[in-house]
Amino acid sequence: EAQVTQNPRYLITVTGKKLTVTCSQNMNHEYMSWYRQDPGLGLRQIYYSMNVEVTDKGDVPEGYKVSRKEKRNFPLILESPSPNQTSLYFCASSLAWTSGYSYEQYFGPGTRLTVT
Amino acid sequence: GIQVEQSPPDLILQEGANSTLRCNFSDSVNNLQWFHQNPWGQLINLFYIPSGTKQNGRLSATTVATERYSLLYISSSQTTDSGVYFCAVERFGNEKLTFGTGTRLTIIP
């Protein structure tokens, strides 16, 4: 089954404790991205990756890191989480990204993160 | 950056009713998509529609790019249509989608 998986689905942690949210897709997609969803703000892109070893900042990259060492995986790293990073996080992937042409975006199930 | 506004923010309808959701954007775009987030949080792509009209069953969408808006029509609403509907746009030259704040639709049996 074609899918994007995220782990963990729920996480409660404390300020400053490094964490990683994993994202994996089994569709051989080139483009992957991370979003956070907050009430009243919709989804905002954190980072995206056009292909292996190619990553770039989205709209809200501060406090996050990513890496793309393999095509299928795109982990999101919070080196020193803070309470304002409490949010619902989504990973997404698509076959590619060509400006002006849409490839269907597949979203993971989401990770609800609480930082106390 | 580009601004994406959706209206109304909330909509409560009886099962069987029709609805129109609107998305306005502040700049020229070459990509516009509609998504549905179900009550369990899952995001599903509904339409890719940078211009023109498309239909898929009870759902249809129209984008008037020159006037910078898009409409999503839902006919004969069902309870399974409940959730949040987002439009997202790509401005020319950007490699990402910018999402609106969504319309929360609640269908009452």
Side-chain angles (χ1 to χ4, degrees):
Chain A
E1 180 190 354
Q3 59 182 351
V4 179
T5 57
Q6 295 178 227
N7 282 292
R9 295 287 313 280
Y10 303 91
L11 179 60
I12 301 174
T13 190
V14 296
T15 298
K17 185 177 181 182
K18 180 179 179 180
L19 67 91
T20 299
V21 183
T22 64
C23 173
S24 182
Q25 48 90 8
N26 62 0
M27 297 168 279
N28 202 36
H29 284 173
E30 291 188 350
Y31 185 92
M32 297 184 73
S33 61
W34 276 102
Y35 296 88
R36 61 178 288 173
Q37 183 178 11
D38 302 289
L41 297 177
L43 279 82
R44 295 177 293 167
Q45 192 180 58
I46 303 170
Y47 270 95
Y48 65 98
S49 170
M50 300 287 278
N51 212 328
V52 176
E53 301 293 0
V54 179
T55 63
D56 210 343
K57 296 177 181 179
D59 294 319
V60 289
E62 294 78 19
Y64 304 94
K65 285 176 57 177
V66 293
S67 68
R68 187 93 182 273
K69 296 187 181 350
E70 313 165 90
K71 184 179 272 193
R72 64 182 292 127
N73 296 323
F74 190 44
L76 179 69
I77 303 158
L78 284 72
E79 295 268 1
S80 183
S82 63
N84 64 12
Q85 292 178 298
T86 293
S87 188
L88 178 59
Y89 291 87
F90 287 98
C91 179
S93 75
S94 62
L95 185 62
W97 189 278
T98 302
S99 186
Y101 184 82
S102 168
Y103 295 93
E104 183 174 356
Q105 294 265 319
Y106 292 79
F107 281 85
T111 295
R112 187 166 294 280
L113 172 65
T114 301
V115 183
T116 62
Chain B
I2 191 168
Q3 305 300 313
V4 183
E5 296 180 352
Q6 292 186 242
S7 59
D10 292 280
L11 189 57
I12 302 173
L13 297 172
Q14 206 78 34
E15 198 170 23
N18 302 327
S19 58
T20 301
L21 283 58
R22 186 177 180 103
C23 172
N24 292 335
F25 41 95
S26 62
D27 203 347
S28 298
V29 300
N30 59 358
N31 184 345
L32 187 146
Q33 298 182 41
W34 282 96
F35 295 87
H36 175 222
Q37 186 173 35
N38 65 26
W40 296 270
Q42 184 64 36
L43 279 156
I44 305 296
N45 190 304
L46 297 175
F47 291 105
Y48 162 67
I49 185 164
S51 63
T53 297
K54 287 187 177 179
Q55 180 152 9
N56 184 3
R58 296 181 296 103
L59 274 62
S60 64
T62 295
T63 297
V64 184
T66 53
E67 297 187 23
R68 300 183 183 169
Y69 73 89
S70 183
L71 302 173
L72 178 68
Y73 304 97
I74 305 173
S75 64
S76 304
S77 299
Q78 301 175 0
T79 55
T80 52
D81 295 330
S82 294
V84 183
Y85 289 81
F86 291 101
C87 78
V89 302
E90 178 200 358
R91 198 173 60 178
F92 283 95
N94 280 17
E95 294 164 336
K96 65 186 183 76
L97 289 174
T98 299
F99 282 73
T101 54
T103 292
R104 181 174 298 278
L105 177 64
T106 303
I107 305 299
I108 301 170

